[in-house]
Amino acid sequence: MTDLETQWGRVQSRLKTEFGEAAYNSWLKPLSLIHADGGRVQMAVPTRFMRDWVQSHYMDRLRDLWSVENPDIEEVELKVAAGFHRATAAAAREKAAPSEAAPTPSARMLRQNDDDDEFGAPLDPRFTFEDFVVGKSNELAYAAARRVAESKAVNFNPLFLHGGVGLGKTHLMHAIAWHVRRQAPQRRVIYLSAEKFMYQFISALRYKDTMAFKQKFRAVDVLMIDDVQFIANKNSTQEEFFHTFNALIDHHRQVVISADRSPSDLEGIEERIRSRLGWGLVADIHPTDYELRLGILQQKVDGINGAKVPGEVLEFLARRIASNVRELEGALNRVVAHATLIGRPITMALAETLLQDLLRANDRRITVEDIQRRVAEYYNLRLADLLSPRRARTVARPRQVAMYLSKQLTTRSLPDIGRKFGGRDHTTVMHAVKRVEELVRSDGSLEEDIHHLRRLVEG
Ligand code: ADP
Ligand code: MG
């Protein structure tokens, strides 16, 4: 046994005493040691769900206990590595000696290309093809992503993925990157958000380093840019993006783009760019259906050791939380978390109580249109006036109130809200929100109006 292993043994028994047998067995026992270097110990967890769980519930304690045992250790890092402890833990432990241990093959596989990371964005280890559940609503996007990841030739360029929030766009892009890095490590993959692309570009301009910027991006085999709607109305970024995009496509490099809407709906992006974005394969991800939601829940539950979630509770969640997969995951986490901590079985009644807020929100999604209608009625205006360019105070103030409420009560972005108010700019909406916030502080009757409207809209 290495020192490290002995220390881990002691940390384990402390954890068991502190958190109790049940929680220990469910969450902590499955952890296994990978190696330690430079003040950091790496541990493997079998699933992404468990990683998140341990990260948010046990990490502080885990870190403290480690550093009590081994004062050199300041940080604990969790890596998802299915089957790691079965296949390679023994080998890893051999190498886990305090000196510079070489990473094991699987640890190396998990490591990302540092160089690309610096330019791109880190990849979420949970977002792989294996972890993606396929259903009718996402099968085209999934198949296209797999094709891009697996094939050397460029089949369609760009691949344009679009769909609403939380439906798996980012997940699929990361999955492509993981797959390529694992299967063809010599191919250079960069994944980043359009926002990050913009910041990189702006800082290259500032430091007069645009050559390096161009070279870097144009030397990749696969470039993925997430949430490209972000560069709407950002003209110089758009221009640079377009140059990069064209250069890559001309050189038969794969480009993958995502956005929250189709290319033709990307307002604020130049027409020639929009049309170019639609030249390859455009794959949309539709809202999930019940079967897919249930499938996703089942897959997540399978990853949780010892958590018994009755089928009827899963069905209940799949039926009632239809908004998006992120919320669905959140709901499951909450129920499992609670039950594990309290040590009570998961029942329908428990799920219903714990999820009241989510369920209510999912039953009644407030829309910008609802708000506009209510506000117009309340102030005795015609809806058309509210959306019109008129700036008269009697119209402008209610409009601002409606924008404010839209920001508060829906999940729409500022540009989205602006569009729904007769195609206004997001800065107008931002201004309206600020203005109303200011006014409410000094104007009691406005405060009352808003309070009242809120109740009307929330029903
Ligand atoms: P988007 O980028 O479209 O907003 P994400 O890719 O971030 O959405 O997905 C939100 C969450 O839902 C992530 O945790 C992701 O893993 C999960 N998710 C979405 N679709 C699926 C799916 N089909 N199977 C498994 N998990 C999914
Ligand atoms: Mg995303």
Side-chain angles (χ1 to χ4, degrees):
M1 267 224 228
T2 63
D3 288 351
L4 207 60
E5 230 181 313
T6 319
Q7 290 159 6
W8 173 228
R10 282 200 293 265
V11 172
Q12 284 178 306
S13 50
R14 291 294 298 271
L15 289 168
K16 202 182 298 179
T17 344
E18 288 188 21
F19 294 105
E21 195 88 23
Y24 176 82
N25 285 338
S26 307
W27 305 109
L28 299 159
K29 196 166 161 204
L31 296 179
S32 57
L33 203 52
I34 305 180
H35 75 136
D37 63 28
R40 185 178 56 171
V41 60
Q42 289 193 338
M43 316 223 45
V45 274
T47 66
R48 35 187 269 210
F49 183 91
M50 287 190 62
R51 187 203 56 182
D52 290 353
W53 191 256
V54 174
Q55 186 77 42
S56 55
H57 293 82
Y58 301 107
M59 189 45 107
D60 290 346
R61 209 47 205 142
L62 189 58
R63 193 189 308 112
D64 291 349
L65 290 173
W66 260 114
S67 52
V68 170
E69 290 302 330
N70 181 342
D72 291 341
I73 290 177
E74 290 163 354
E75 204 187 321
V76 178
E77 188 183 354
L78 301 177
K79 298 252 175 195
V80 179
F84 180 87
H85 48 192
R86 279 198 309 279
T88 45
R93 281 181 193 149
E94 308 256 286
K95 298 188 178 177
S99 64
E100 286 178 41
T104 64
S106 53
R108 190 164 48 232
M109 232 163 65
L110 289 163
R111 222 198 65 218
Q112 301 167 16
N113 183 328
D114 299 333
D115 199 32
D116 289 346
D117 269 3
E118 186 196 316
F119 228 58
L123 299 175
D124 191 319
R126 304 168 308 158
F127 292 180
T128 62
F129 286 126
E130 293 71 38
D131 280 325
F132 192 82
V133 184
V134 187
K136 274 202 292 296
S137 56
N138 58 24
E139 63 185 358
L140 175 65
Y142 171 82
R146 269 219 98 104
R147 175 68 72 82
V148 162
E150 281 164 5
S151 114
K152 304 229 161 26
V154 173
N155 296 284
F156 20 73
N157 219 357
L159 168 60
F160 189 102
L161 300 171
H162 72 97
V165 165
L167 295 182
K169 301 181 294 295
T170 299
H171 188 134
L172 283 176
M173 292 176 110
H174 285 208
I176 294 175
W178 282 123
H179 190 94
V180 174
R181 283 183 182 174
R182 222 172 288 160
Q183 302 301 316
Q186 75 287 358
R187 297 184 78 199
R188 290 177 48 84
V189 187
I190 292 187
Y191 161 89
L192 78 172
S193 64
E195 187 177 7
K196 185 152 186 195
F197 180 87
M198 184 180 92
Y199 287 120
Q200 301 267 4
F201 173 57
I202 291 173
S203 53
L205 285 180
R206 182 171 311 142
Y207 297 110
K208 305 205 176 3
D209 201 14
T210 49
M211 274 313 283
F213 175 87
K214 285 188 206 309
Q215 271 162 9
K216 180 90 187 191
F217 275 108
R218 292 177 193 183
V220 301
D221 296 295
V222 184
L223 175 66
M224 296 193 269
I225 301 204
D226 204 353
D227 289 320
V228 82
Q229 73 275 358
F230 185 85
I231 59 169
N233 301 317
K234 314 230 164 45
N235 293 335
S236 60
T237 310
Q238 253 181 59
E239 201 57 34
E240 184 52 37
F241 165 75
F242 196 46
H243 287 315
T244 307
F245 176 89
N246 283 330
L248 288 172
I249 297 221
D250 288 346
H251 288 91
H252 308 286
R253 306 294 167 76
Q254 181 71 53
V255 178
V256 182
I257 304 285
S258 89
D260 63 354
R261 68 202 73 177
S262 74
S264 53
D265 287 339
L266 282 170
E267 289 152 44
I269 291 196
E270 267 183 67
E271 168 55 31
R272 65 189 170 121
I273 303 183
R274 269 192 277 162
S275 89
R276 190 68 189 78
L277 287 175
W279 278 13
L281 180 71
V282 176
D284 53 348
I285 307 184
H286 299 278
T288 53
D289 57 22
Y290 171 77
E291 273 69 37
L292 178 58
R293 289 196 294 276
L294 192 59
I296 292 174
L297 288 171
Q298 268 153 356
Q299 187 228 39
K300 313 251 174 222
V301 164
D302 285 346
I304 316 173
N305 265 356
K308 294 245 181 317
V309 188
E312 65 166 356
V313 171
L314 294 183
E315 287 164 17
F316 170 74
L317 296 179
R319 206 164 45 242
R320 297 286 297 278
I321 314 238
S323 43
N324 70 54
V325 182
R326 196 172 294 137
E327 279 192 7
L328 194 63
E329 283 182 338
L332 179 66
N333 287 1
R334 208 194 285 180
V335 174
V336 173
H338 193 88
T340 319
L341 290 178
I342 306 298
R344 243 193 280 154
I346 298 170
T347 61
M348 283 291 282
L350 180 70
E352 280 190 53
T353 333
L354 286 176
L355 301 174
Q356 261 170 17
D357 54 334
L358 263 182
L359 294 170
R360 220 178 301 125
N362 271 272
D363 284 347
R364 276 202 75 266
R365 284 262 143 193
I366 296 167
T367 65
V368 174
E369 287 76 9
D370 292 336
I371 295 172
Q372 291 171 334
R373 204 164 34 79
R374 289 291 184 185
V375 171
E377 275 168 24
Y378 186 82
Y379 289 105
N380 256 322
L381 295 169
R382 289 183 314 135
L383 191 57
D385 289 332
L386 207 64
L387 309 185
S388 75
R390 284 186 53 202
R391 286 150 163 267
R393 178 78 171 273
T394 48
V395 185
R397 188 53 43 79
R399 187 185 294 131
Q400 288 179 327
V401 167
M403 287 178 175
Y404 167 83
L405 288 170
S406 302
K407 183 67 200 137
Q408 299 290 316
L409 303 179
T410 75
T411 53
R412 294 281 173 182
S413 64
L414 295 174
D416 255 3
I417 296 173
R419 264 189 291 281
K420 289 180 181 285
F421 279 84
R424 287 176 159 82
D425 194 73
H426 74 279
T427 52
T428 310
V429 183
M430 205 153 67
H431 174 75
V433 173
K434 284 219 189 89
R435 187 81 190 114
V436 172
E437 280 168 357
E438 272 164 27
L439 286 171
V440 177
R441 269 180 245 132
S442 54
D443 179 346
S445 76
L446 183 66
E447 193 186 356
E448 228 167 81
D449 284 354
I450 287 184
H451 183 71
H452 200 74
L453 277 164
R454 201 187 252 272
R455 275 223 308 271
L456 283 173
V457 173
E458 284 177 336

